[in-house]
Amino acid sequence: MMSDIKILNPETLGKPLGQYSQLTRVKPWELLFIAGQVGADKDGKTPADFDGQCAQVFANIGAALASQGAGFANLIEFTTYLVHSQDIPAFMAYRTREFPKLFAGGAYPPNTLLIVDRLVQEQFLIEVSAVAAL
């Protein structure tokens, strides 16, 4: 049985600045918390470029979801960490291009974007943690 998930953008809040929504209302059966995923594949290979790391991060999240019989429609929240504020336009462009493929009908979960000094290893440029309702 899947949770009842509603992705919402109330008129009382401003329009989202990117591919995310202001609220998620969930009547969950079970929650899945996905640790921050970085741009390394299961063998530890990391693309040098930001776009390649974005693709790997979301592939990792997809693999984590699939391992529990879930998909991107189950996601209810993201937290994104970028090392360089200069990567914000590239991150927004990636989401604009790829999120319509991952989230049917444009129901994008809320996302908090933070700029940090560095991640666990210097080569990582982005990390994304997520919460899913199963």
Side-chain angles (χ1 to χ4, degrees):
M1 187 175 281
M2 186 162 156
S3 299
D4 178 16
I5 301 170
K6 292 182 176 80
I7 304 291
L8 307 164
N9 285 299
E11 292 181 12
T12 55
L13 296 174
K15 181 180 177 187
L17 301 175
Q19 279 59 46
Y20 67 93
S21 296
Q22 297 287 12
L23 306 171
T24 302
R25 185 174 179 162
V26 183
K27 293 182 183 176
W29 291 99
E30 187 174 4
L31 294 176
L32 177 66
F33 295 87
I34 301 172
Q37 297 298 303
V38 294
D41 67 14
K42 68 178 186 168
D43 298 320
K45 294 181 183 146
T46 303
D49 66 305
F50 182 80
D51 217 47
Q53 288 195 28
C54 280
Q56 187 60 58
V57 162
F58 286 98
N60 291 348
I61 291 171
L65 290 164
S67 78
Q68 300 304 303
F72 281 90
N74 294 92
L75 286 176
I76 60 174
E77 181 184 38
F78 287 113
T79 302
T80 302
Y81 305 89
L82 301 180
V83 176
H84 305 292
S85 62
Q86 299 89 333
D87 287 332
I88 293 173
F91 177 64
M92 296 302 185
Y94 179 86
R95 287 173 60 116
T96 298
R97 184 179 69 246
E98 299 298 327
F99 271 30
K101 299 172 194 172
L102 300 176
F103 298 97
Y108 307 123
N111 182 85
T112 299
L113 174 61
L114 301 166
I115 307 302
V116 296
D117 183 50
R118 69 165 270 184
L119 297 170
V120 67
Q121 293 179 9
E122 294 246 359
Q123 75 267 23
F124 298 132
L125 304 172
I126 180 172
E127 182 171 335
V128 179
S129 63
V131 179
L134 306 178

